[in-house]
Amino acid sequence: MGFRPFVFRLAEELDLSGWVLNSSHGVFIEVEGARSRIDDFLRRVNEEKPPRAVIFSLETSFLEPRGYDSFEIRESDDSGSKTTLIPPDIATCAECLAEIFDPADRRYHYPFTNCTNCGPRYSILKALPYDRPNTSMEAFRMCPACEAEYRDPRNRRFHAQPNACPGCGPRLQWFGAPGEPGPEHHDALLRTAEAIRAGKIVALKGLGGFQLIADARNEEAVQRLRHRKHREEKPFALMVPDLTSGQALCHLSEQETRLLTAVEAPIVLARRLDSENDGIARAVAPRNPILGVMLPSTPLHHLLMRELGFPVVATSGNLSGEPICIDNGEAVHRLSGIADGFLAHDRPIVRHVDDSVARVVAGREQILRRARGYAPLPIHASAPAPTILATGAHLKNTVALNIGAETFISQHIGDLDSPMAYEAFQRVCQDLQALYGATPEAIACDLHPEYLSTKFAKTLRPKALPVQHHFAHVAACMAENELEPPVLGISWDGTGYGTDGTIWGGEFLIADGTPFTRAAHFRPFRLPGGETAIREPRRCALGLFFELSGEALFDQPERAPLSHFESRELSLIRQALARQLNAPLTSSAGRLFDAVASLLGIRQRVSFEGQAAMELEFAIDHRVSDAYTFDLKGDDPIVVDWEPVLWEIQRDLQLGVSPGVMSARFHNGLVEAAVAVTQRAGLRQVVLTGGCFQNRYLTERLVQRLREEGFRPAWHQRVPPNDGGIALGQIAAVAQSMGQQPLDPLNEPSGFLRTTR
Ligand code: ZN
Ligand code: ZN
Ligand code: FE
């Protein structure tokens, strides 16, 4: 349909070099040239595409320049394995949207309207090939009008598998809290809107699971939702009726606008314009200058948001720590203590798919939670590898399956703390293998023996191959940026199991093919109380001073962290530290952030992971450019010592320096320490990875400083810097260790789907 010639002409017009290629996994384009022209290209590919071309997904990634001298159309490359493309769920297209708001149309107000260009895919697919009998639409028989559309090659609904209309398709139904049936069809939607306006919490069956919806302006309703969901302070995402209302709440750059209005329709994290007076309840995102906003992406959401006309909280339908509900009966059972009513329907959800989360950092898009709209699109590698299943980490778990040169990353599963989450994890492992008809030749898992994902991997055959956590982060970042060893990986996060049995987390690893060398790490300190210290930053601060002074610390009551404890607590902690009971050693950068947040008086206890570090980042005074001092000691590995930083903080506290200035000096100090280690390591290519790089200030400043010093920093774009990226890294690490083997010639495709029509 002329897509490649269109790309060719556009690239020529913008004076960009590179290539375009059609493959069984979509169209791949590489363009090279000035940044502003690449931005224009990205915008115009979307806006000026040929009339009949439809983009189901547009993922971008900035790579190192290759030095192309012209732009060419490359021959289709089908030499790799031909795995079937399973498309993600796609946001409602403009034509379907026009129909559902047209009183004269037969699909007026019909919430399950879709066509070949939009609608549910991954969330309704039971097996390949992607035909109606293999979807959760199998129980619905098309009426003659729908059937005619489905069979007409000139119709927008030609072979649209979930095609439906009010006469033959799924229908809405309202249920009161105890599960008693109420109105159906559009009346159910009106009843829902009425309940939300009245300050009630409604569980709505969305695309990939139930969502809990409440009026975002209603302080009491949002508080009630927090209380019932057992979610204390972690920010809620908002759904806004349209782009204009998003712009009224947040500063949205051109890039952020593109992301918000993209077919993937993720939650976009953006800077809030006026948290005091924007009308949003304080309980939505307490003490947070960032809001997560998304636009409606299904007809059901469009209809509801048009009816309401104001922002709502839209959060996953679960108790904190549990997976999202997908089944009607299960939802009524599990959510009856949370929701005042249910808007359900009779189109089954085959697998849970949460809302995705994305943002723009250092001028590029970055996915923080990869689910609806993105899953299960693969990350493409330059060379094929064996079939590998990776079970991921413990927090923010995803699993991944490699087939040939394609790594399919599952949708976000979540923390594996609850039995229900562990069950969901096992289901997704099965599901990925079954969908792609793949039998793994290798299993990859984390090195941590106590992760449930590791324990599960060890029950599988062949024998699971463990990959060190921080190296998996590095390997993931290298894989998506298409980098080859040697690379210096700056891998900073909360905790991960180290090869020496201690807890790592502030690592500089050289990926050199061995698979790695630990070039440097932060000076280790003890975490009094182990797991408890993760919830109490004050314990991390105490651990730092204990490392310096030992038990003598407890006789210096003027030391900052001591004032945050009661004397009874202190004597217990003192005993535990003296006997080294439940006080593991760690080199964690994340815990260092926590400790500093405590010392600066910002936060002593957290109610969700990363809260202290987030608030420390938000406190930064951006006018401050000076930095605290980290010492580099020793050689093999280098130890990055935070002791001078501690004394500088003590001094600043005595001088009454503001937390904002101290926070800036701490962040700047970390950046300079990372630059200094990079200079000692002597490798030009650097990757920034791990949960700490969800910190925007840290990422952007380190990228800038590394570039100034002549290094080439890369960071995460399509997979999260947090543990959601671990499964990809495990695949890359195991693939490398197994060597690149030839493909199995019998691995033929089991079905076929195209990305453009
Ligand atoms: Zn459509
Ligand atoms: Zn019909
Ligand atoms: Fe991690």
Side-chain angles (χ1 to χ4, degrees):
M1 46 181 318
F3 193 74
R4 283 176 302 168
F6 153 71
V7 169
F8 180 85
R9 284 194 301 272
L10 186 59
E12 294 260 278
E13 187 189 323
L14 290 167
D15 199 21
L16 296 166
S17 54
W19 49 264
V20 56
L21 168 79
N22 232 349
S23 87
S24 58
H25 283 273
V27 179
F28 289 84
I29 307 169
E30 263 189 46
V31 289
E32 188 167 297
R35 175 60 196 261
S36 62
R37 280 182 277 118
I38 290 179
D39 286 338
D40 282 347
F41 178 85
L42 198 52
R43 184 174 48 77
R44 290 177 61 184
V45 154
N46 209 15
E47 289 173 4
E48 299 173 19
K49 61 182 186 287
R52 281 171 54 79
V54 174
I55 295 177
F56 283 177
S57 169
L58 178 61
E59 283 200 83
T60 65
S61 191
F62 285 78
L63 304 173
E64 287 300 312
R66 303 285 151 98
Y68 299 113
D69 45 17
S70 64
F71 194 89
E72 59 174 7
I73 296 180
R74 285 198 179 165
E75 288 305 310
S76 295
D77 167 24
D78 282 328
S79 57
S81 80
K82 292 184 188 173
T83 45
T84 306
L85 177 76
I86 297 175
D89 301 295
I90 302 153
T92 310
C93 74
E95 286 167 288
C96 286
L97 198 55
E99 287 172 351
I100 63 171
F101 288 114
D102 175 5
D105 195 277
R106 71 188 192 96
R107 289 191 174 84
Y108 181 54
H109 282 172
Y110 186 56
F112 304 97
T113 303
N114 65 82
C115 71
T116 29
N117 305 337
C118 74
R121 298 288 188 273
Y122 188 47
S123 62
I124 59 165
L125 181 72
K126 292 194 231 175
L128 289 170
Y130 174 55
D131 286 328
R132 192 168 173 111
N134 283 337
T135 71
S136 63
M137 286 298 293
E138 64 161 327
F140 299 92
R141 225 188 127 88
M142 271 185 275
C143 67
C146 287
E147 183 88 36
E149 293 167 335
Y150 184 85
R151 301 213 173 280
D152 177 4
R154 285 154 307 185
N155 195 287
R156 201 172 92 244
R157 298 200 162 92
F158 177 57
H159 286 182
Q161 305 305 346
N163 189 27
C165 78
C168 67
R171 62 187 168 85
L172 291 180
Q173 184 161 22
W174 169 267
F175 291 91
E180 73 222 13
E184 298 185 2
H185 303 289
H186 196 59
D187 287 341
L189 186 118
L190 295 177
R191 179 70 169 269
T192 305
E194 191 186 306
I196 294 167
R197 276 193 216 100
K200 302 269 195 271
I201 297 164
V202 175
L204 174 147
K205 189 174 183 181
L207 188 109
F210 275 82
Q211 288 168 313
L212 293 162
I213 310 276
D215 182 349
R217 307 163 308 174
N218 186 328
E219 195 72 56
E220 191 274 326
V222 181
Q223 284 290 4
R224 186 155 24 90
L225 176 57
R226 285 205 175 278
H227 181 70
R228 291 185 185 169
K229 199 176 141 96
H230 301 162
R231 178 152 149 163
E232 291 169 53
E233 293 177 303
K234 193 175 176 187
F236 281 133
L238 299 185
M239 184 174 282
V240 293
D242 50 32
L243 179 59
T244 314
S245 42
Q247 285 163 332
L249 293 176
C250 291
H251 177 271
L252 293 171
S253 67
E254 198 175 296
Q255 270 183 307
E256 286 161 339
T257 305
R258 194 207 81 78
L259 198 50
L260 188 66
T261 55
V263 281
E264 294 87 354
I267 295 167
V268 176
L269 303 183
R271 192 161 50 80
R272 200 166 171 177
L273 286 170
D274 182 3
S275 56
E276 294 300 309
N277 305 301
D278 60 10
I280 298 300
R282 278 172 201 284
V284 167
R287 289 178 303 284
N288 201 317
I290 305 289
L291 267 186
V293 290
M294 67 178 143
L295 294 178
S297 59
T298 72
L300 177 58
H301 290 105
H302 278 289
L303 289 165
L304 179 66
M305 294 312 288
R306 182 78 64 99
E307 181 63 31
L308 290 173
F310 55 79
V312 295
V313 166
T315 184
S316 47
N318 54 10
L319 271 167
S320 284
E322 291 181 356
I324 189 168
C325 282
I326 59 173
D327 177 75
N328 290 356
E330 181 201 7
V332 170
H333 175 66
R334 276 172 57 197
L335 302 179
S336 58
I338 306 178
D340 300 305
F342 295 81
L343 181 62
H345 59 73
D346 52 356
R347 184 178 75 197
I349 298 170
V350 172
R351 64 181 59 73
H352 85 272
V353 190
D354 284 270
D355 294 318
S356 295
V357 180
R359 65 172 178 178
V360 174
V361 64
R364 299 178 188 174
E365 290 175 10
Q366 179 176 64
I367 296 173
L368 293 173
R369 182 164 83 193
R370 203 177 157 89
R372 177 178 52 75
Y374 300 99
L377 289 177
I379 303 292
H380 187 80
S382 52
T387 303
I388 305 167
L389 176 73
T391 59
H394 179 75
L395 296 176
K396 298 185 167 66
N397 179 277
T398 60
V399 300
L401 178 68
N402 186 77
I403 303 172
E406 251 58 69
T407 302
F408 301 94
I409 304 171
S410 77
Q411 69 275 32
H412 166 84
I413 299 167
D415 301 350
L416 302 185
D417 286 322
S418 70
M420 254 189 253
Y422 183 51
E423 271 171 40
F425 155 84
Q426 288 173 287
R427 256 198 318 275
V428 177
C429 285
Q430 288 305 322
D431 182 39
L432 266 190
Q433 295 174 75
L435 267 182
Y436 292 101
T439 308
E441 296 163 68
I443 309 283
C445 65
D446 198 275
L447 186 62
H448 201 309
E450 295 302 319
Y451 282 1
L452 287 179
S453 54
T454 305
K455 289 184 170 171
F456 175 74
K458 286 181 177 167
T459 67
L460 304 176
R461 291 286 164 269
K463 192 166 175 287
L465 304 165
V467 179
Q468 199 281 322
H469 186 90
H470 302 94
F471 177 59
H473 274 306
V474 174
C477 199
M478 288 171 66
E480 68 155 315
N481 284 287
E482 298 180 18
L483 300 174
E484 297 292 328
V487 168
L488 173 67
I490 302 181
S491 190
W492 293 355
D493 68 0
T495 50
Y497 197 80
T499 52
D500 57 4
T502 69
I503 300 170
W504 290 10
E507 311 307 311
F508 298 78
L509 307 178
I510 294 177
D512 51 14
T514 66
F516 71 91
T517 306
R518 194 184 191 196
H521 60 80
F522 283 104
R523 177 175 173 181
F525 58 99
R526 289 196 182 274
L527 291 176
E531 287 288 311
T532 313
I534 295 176
R535 293 189 296 274
E536 297 183 14
R538 58 183 191 154
R539 286 175 183 259
C540 301
L542 191 81
L544 290 182
F545 280 98
F546 182 78
E547 173 66 20
L548 298 185
S549 318
E551 274 200 78
L553 159 71
F554 294 94
D555 305 321
Q556 302 166 314
E558 73 282 5
R559 285 273 171 263
L562 297 190
S563 64
H564 298 298
F565 293 88
E566 289 170 27
S567 57
R568 199 177 49 89
E569 288 174 318
L570 279 180
S571 66
L572 285 172
I573 291 172
R574 181 176 188 161
Q575 283 172 30
L577 279 170
R579 293 192 221 140
Q580 301 192 357
L581 275 175
N582 196 21
L585 270 179
T586 185
S587 56
S588 167
R591 298 290 88 82
L592 199 55
F593 273 92
D594 286 355
V596 171
S598 161
L599 291 176
L600 270 49
I602 288 174
R603 186 155 279 279
Q604 307 307 329
R605 295 162 197 266
V606 299
S607 68
F608 63 92
E609 198 219 353
Q611 186 180 21
M614 267 172 58
E615 292 184 0
L616 187 62
E617 180 191 356
F618 296 152
I620 291 172
D621 182 334
H622 288 260
R623 296 164 302 188
V624 178
S625 58
D626 58 331
Y628 291 144
T629 327
F630 287 84
D631 276 348
L632 267 46
K633 290 187 170 158
D635 213 5
D636 188 20
I638 298 165
V639 174
V640 182
D641 189 356
W642 34 258
E643 180 171 351
V645 175
L646 235 51
W647 302 130
E648 286 171 308
I649 290 176
Q650 292 282 307
R651 179 206 63 202
D652 280 356
L653 282 171
Q654 276 160 14
L655 292 173
V657 174
S658 77
V661 171
M662 290 191 283
S663 175
R665 287 176 177 161
F666 171 66
H667 280 83
N668 296 347
L670 285 170
V671 167
E672 293 314 312
V675 171
V677 171
T678 306
Q679 282 164 332
R680 292 263 293 269
L683 292 171
R684 197 147 175 248
Q685 185 67 61
V686 185
V687 298
L688 316 182
T689 185
C692 290
F693 288 100
Q694 293 174 108
N695 183 316
R696 173 198 293 268
Y697 182 88
L698 179 73
T699 306
E700 293 186 340
R701 190 170 174 106
L702 185 50
V703 164
Q704 185 197 333
R705 285 287 297 119
L706 287 171
R707 282 179 175 159
E708 282 169 11
E709 300 298 325
F711 298 102
R712 291 185 153 174
W715 58 96
H716 287 280
Q717 301 175 66
R718 296 180 59 199
V719 300
N722 59 47
D723 285 2
I726 286 288
L728 172 65
Q730 291 172 347
I731 297 257
V734 165
Q736 191 198 38
S737 75
M738 294 174 78
Q740 285 158 3
Q741 293 174 7
L743 283 171
D744 176 2
L746 299 175
N747 193 357
E748 286 296 314
S750 53
F752 191 69
L753 282 169
R754 279 165 301 179
T755 45
T756 53
R757 179 172 62 88

